[in-house]
Amino acid sequence: MKLKAMLIAGALSFVPMTAMAADLTIGFSQIGSESGWRAAETTVTKQEAEKRGIDLKFADAQQKQENQIKAIRSFIAQGVDAILLAPVVATGWDEVLEEAKDAEIPVVLLDRTVDAPDDLYMTAVTSDLVHEGSVAGQWLVDETAGEKCDIVELQGTTGSSPAIDRKKGFEQAISGHDNLNIVRSQTGDFTRSQGKVVMESFLKAVGGENICALYAHNDDMAVGAIQAIKEAGLKPGEDIKIVSIDSVPDIHLAMANGEANATIELTPNMAGPALDALEAYLADGTMPPKWIQTESKLYTLKDDNMAIYEMKKDLGY
Amino acid sequence: MTAHVHNTLRRITPQLIILAAVLMLNFMVFPDFFRIEFQNGRLFGNLIDVLNRGAPTALLCIGMTLVIATRGIDLSVGAVMAIAGAVAASLAVDGHGWQVALTGALAVGAICGLWNGVLVAVLRIQPIVATLVLMVAGRGIAQLVTEGTILTFLDPGLIHLGAGTILGIPTPILIWIALGLAVTAAVRKTALGMLIEAIGINESSSRLAGINSRVLIISVYLISGVCAALAGVIVAADIKGADANNAGLWLELDAILAVVIGGNSLLGGRFSIIASLLGALIIQSVNSVILLSGMPPEFNLVIKALIIIAILVIQSPTVKHALYILRASAEPQPAEPIKEAKESPQ
């Protein structure tokens, strides 16, 4: 409700600008609503377009590539100025991207990349998953400052690229620090309930008093694990330090309560940099770099987590 | 009475042996497996975890056993869990008490079951197709209820259903044991169980014999829907939030597997709820082996598959027959002929 009011207010205040830039129409083919983060990305993309007075044509593909290809073809037929694409899979885009290129419509990839020749799209705005993992690892290196620390790890869905890359980055960051050891590592499927179940087994298999820190590949698993730690009679955030990735509202709430220690933001604002690049290109033909990396911002207990929670909770996470 | 107990015991002996074997496997990978402590006001131990984490599958397989006994199948239970969890969470978020949230969720589960039952019994759509509709659509409905987010709630009463304890025992354990006993009593202390079996063996002749198969089939899907709703509430309460994307995902397959491990035929007919519940515990014990072994997660599904294949091979009629022949040839005196489950007198 609040969000709606904000959007309307935003729309009203930009009326003159809208009139000025009304000729800019951009199509956005979104994967669907697979997760809270995805929903937040959609919300933020709409906000960013609104802010710039861009007419955003939104197409929800419901997790199907054929729907995305249809949406892109319809954007081309409508003669949009540019296309934002969050591709559901990496392969099979060559033909439709070729069609967009022939129609001279620039395509910007959001959040994920594709296996296609890189002259078929203008740029890709993504976060660096390995970097996210290494920021988490580096935080723990600094936090422990050489003291011995046994770590348990909750991995993402086995075989998924975030799970592989976030594990890799973390291991790179802690390698060479002999005080840090991953003693158990198991998948929690990126979900709260599995995060809780697997943490329960860690607490028994290793012994809660022997675990110094938890690294979770996403915040949801950490939120589940916090409950398991509490039920085992330990204090999450104190007895067991918790670092995770994504920066969803609920982890900030946990941090505000002192139950988690750090999170690394996977920003839902991929559209901001993408639209900036597009506007620059359409204005004077400035070619952006092939890859725009978003910032992987570290939040700790020093930040005002309650305020961040309040700000983020209406984004649709 | 003793004869009855004796029969039941004989029926569930294979499941008990398998469960004991898998629990021993747990003990081998983690020697402290059987240790149970009283800690922080609750029983604390791996065995308790198996009983507690097995609750959703156990609840699902109670309804699933009845549905399968009528020669049906219910693929929608995982999605119904997601819907029920979402409904309970949104009622709690709107400020209603846990009683209202629970009742609302169970009512929605009953409606989902009724929908399946009507498709199967009245419109005569094959169960696997009829319930596939809700399996696919249900998760979408749940997402509509939660508006695509993980809907978190703080109502202590509702949370108690999933994460609380009564006399130190986690509530979900008490819920599934109580419901299992209640449904078993309802079908075995009355003729209901026999009527359900009759439908599964031959629906036409059971109808000719005067059984109202339509009402009974609708009822079993309704029970399955309610069981799924209860499981959905427990799963949501456990994490204090309704996760429409993931709650109950693929759990319908675990529930069907539990029924099969329980020695029930997918072709309907005779059934045992207790054996299915043991099947659910066996599956959870296998999950426990995987978690406690500390193996890399890449091996999870391989280990699970190997153990399940071993269990099913041991139960296969051909292997049983081969064992019987071996035993018969070893013993000179004539052994009792084996009876096929469906042919034996009721």
Side-chain angles (χ1 to χ4, degrees):
Chain A
M1 213 49 226
K2 220 196 243 163
L3 182 71
K4 217 176 196 173
M6 211 167 79
L7 285 178
I8 292 169
L12 285 178
S13 61
F14 285 106
V15 164
M17 260 186 77
T18 315
M20 198 175 69
D23 49 343
L24 206 54
T25 306
I26 290 178
F28 175 30
S29 171
Q30 174 63 293
I31 293 176
S33 54
E34 49 170 23
S35 64
W37 183 86
R38 195 60 66 186
E41 187 193 37
T42 303
T43 312
V44 173
T45 305
K46 287 177 177 169
Q47 283 175 349
E48 288 290 325
E50 198 90 54
K51 213 158 71 182
R52 292 171 170 79
I54 292 168
D55 181 14
L56 189 78
K57 295 198 180 299
F58 177 72
D60 182 327
Q62 300 183 327
Q63 279 90 311
K64 287 206 175 71
Q65 187 180 25
E66 57 264 38
N67 289 346
Q68 292 204 292
I69 291 174
K70 264 187 240 161
I72 294 171
R73 293 214 165 109
S74 111
F75 290 149
I76 296 170
Q78 293 170 42
V80 296
D81 298 299
I83 293 170
L84 302 179
L85 168 65
V88 62
V89 291
T91 52
W93 298 101
D94 300 49
E95 200 184 322
V96 72
L97 289 180
E98 199 88 54
E99 289 169 30
K101 197 186 172 198
D102 290 345
E104 291 180 353
I105 298 172
V107 176
V108 177
L109 305 175
L110 294 189
D111 174 49
R112 300 182 185 179
T113 56
V114 297
D115 293 338
D118 63 3
D119 61 317
L120 290 182
Y121 59 89
M122 193 170 83
T123 179
V125 184
T126 68
S127 75
D128 183 345
L129 295 163
V130 178
H131 179 61
E132 287 169 358
S134 70
V135 173
Q138 191 57 46
W139 174 82
L140 200 60
V141 168
D142 298 341
E143 179 76 13
T144 51
E147 267 180 58
K148 182 178 155 43
C149 186
D150 283 345
I151 306 160
V152 293
E153 180 184 33
L154 284 170
Q155 297 186 30
T157 309
T158 309
S160 69
S161 64
I164 294 167
D165 291 346
R166 285 174 177 178
K167 182 173 176 57
K168 192 168 129 195
F170 186 81
E171 283 170 353
Q172 281 171 2
I174 64 166
S175 74
H177 297 273
D178 296 336
N179 59 321
L180 300 176
N181 282 308
I182 299 177
V183 290
R184 285 256 166 175
S185 182
Q186 179 56 256
T187 176
D189 285 335
F190 281 133
T191 68
R192 270 185 209 202
S193 51
Q194 270 310 102
K196 183 173 179 184
V197 171
V198 176
M199 190 67 206
E200 275 178 2
S201 82
F202 284 165
L203 287 166
K204 293 185 181 92
V206 186
E209 65 285 355
N210 301 325
I211 301 174
C212 147
L214 163 71
Y215 167 48
H217 289 190
N218 80 345
D219 289 340
D220 275 329
M221 291 190 292
V223 170
I226 287 169
Q227 293 174 15
I229 295 169
K230 278 203 264 187
E231 280 171 21
L234 295 169
K235 283 205 183 74
E238 284 178 35
D239 298 330
I240 298 177
K241 294 190 197 320
I242 296 172
V243 54
S244 53
I245 300 175
D246 275 358
S247 172
V248 304
D250 283 347
I251 199 77
H252 286 290
L253 189 61
M255 284 164 74
N257 296 330
E259 293 173 349
N261 304 78
T263 184
I264 291 98
E265 182 173 52
L266 168 62
T267 177
N269 186 9
M270 304 264 169
L275 293 175
D276 287 343
L278 274 173
E279 280 182 328
Y281 172 75
L282 294 172
D284 50 20
T286 322
M287 243 342 205
K290 268 288 153 208
W291 179 38
I292 303 173
Q293 185 188 345
T294 57
E295 191 190 358
S296 301
K297 190 166 188 284
L298 173 74
Y299 289 100
T300 62
L301 296 179
K302 291 186 195 109
D303 295 285
D304 184 357
N305 287 294
M306 207 59 209
I308 301 168
Y309 168 72
E310 291 295 335
M311 185 195 76
K312 286 203 160 198
K313 71 174 183 184
D314 287 329
L315 289 180
Y317 271 107
Chain B
M1 191 60 206
T2 45
H4 178 69
V5 170
H6 183 73
N7 276 341
T8 312
L9 264 182
R10 207 166 65 179
R11 167 69 180 80
I12 61 172
T13 307
Q15 281 74 34
L16 285 174
I17 293 172
I18 294 168
L19 182 60
V22 181
L23 290 178
M24 279 315 290
L25 207 55
N26 270 292
F27 177 70
M28 276 154 58
V29 299
F30 185 61
D32 277 345
F33 180 76
F34 289 109
R35 198 173 72 192
I36 294 176
E37 290 165 7
F38 197 78
Q39 186 178 324
N40 201 21
R42 61 192 296 151
L43 289 173
F44 190 83
N46 288 292
L47 217 46
I48 300 296
D49 278 357
V50 168
L51 290 169
N52 191 16
R53 293 296 158 209
T57 313
L59 284 169
L60 292 185
C61 82
I62 294 170
M64 191 69 81
T65 307
L66 297 180
V67 170
I68 286 177
T70 66
R71 203 181 263 245
I73 199 142
D74 189 349
L75 295 181
S76 71
V77 286
V80 173
M81 280 177 69
I83 300 176
V87 168
S90 67
L91 285 171
V93 168
D94 287 346
H96 297 283
W98 68 272
Q99 298 93 337
V100 178
L102 179 62
T103 315
L106 294 184
V108 168
I111 292 169
C112 293
L114 197 64
W115 162 264
N116 285 330
V118 167
L119 288 185
V120 173
V122 179
L123 298 180
R124 294 276 152 203
I125 299 172
Q126 289 199 1
I128 199 164
V129 180
T131 55
L132 192 66
V133 175
L134 201 54
M135 176 187 174
V136 177
R139 219 158 272 286
I141 297 172
Q143 277 165 0
L144 282 179
V145 176
T146 61
E147 296 174 355
T149 65
I150 297 179
L151 206 54
T152 48
F153 51 85
L154 296 166
D155 184 272
L158 193 56
I159 291 168
H160 192 90
L161 290 174
T165 55
I166 294 173
L167 299 174
I169 304 168
T171 327
I173 301 180
L174 298 171
I175 293 177
W176 74 256
I177 290 178
L179 193 74
L181 289 177
V183 176
T184 305
V187 295
R188 290 304 175 203
K189 295 288 167 198
T190 66
L192 208 56
M194 206 175 74
L195 300 183
I196 290 171
E197 287 171 349
I199 294 172
I201 293 165
N202 190 330
E203 198 192 333
S204 306
S205 54
S206 68
R207 201 164 47 234
L208 291 173
I211 296 173
N212 191 341
S213 66
R214 194 170 282 181
V215 169
L216 271 175
I217 290 179
I218 293 178
S219 321
V220 293
Y221 282 94
L222 198 125
I223 293 170
S224 180
V226 172
C227 289
L230 200 50
V233 172
I234 287 175
V235 166
D238 184 38
I239 57 165
K240 304 176 190 166
D243 186 348
N245 279 309
N246 299 307
L249 195 61
W250 309 127
L251 227 53
E252 57 277 341
L253 299 181
D254 270 4
I256 295 168
L257 186 62
V259 174
V260 172
I261 292 177
N264 298 294
S265 167
L266 285 178
L267 296 173
R270 294 196 71 178
F271 67 89
S272 164
I273 291 176
I274 295 177
S276 294
L277 289 174
L278 287 171
L281 289 184
I282 291 168
I283 294 176
Q284 192 53 41
S285 310
V286 171
N287 291 340
S288 169
V289 173
I290 292 167
L291 288 179
L292 291 173
S293 67
M295 297 271 271
E298 287 78 8
F299 291 99
N300 286 6
L301 297 176
V302 179
I303 299 171
K304 192 168 176 181
L306 286 177
I307 299 177
I308 301 284
I309 289 172
I311 292 170
L312 295 180
V313 165
I314 292 166
Q315 289 197 5
S316 124
T318 316
V319 172
K320 265 190 195 159
H321 189 68
L323 286 176
Y324 163 72
I325 298 283
L326 271 178
R327 245 197 337 230
S329 57
E331 292 168 24
Q333 70 270 36
E336 205 182 317
I338 52 158
K339 291 174 186 170
E340 276 294 308
K342 266 161 62 176
E343 286 163 9
S344 57
Q346 300 286 329

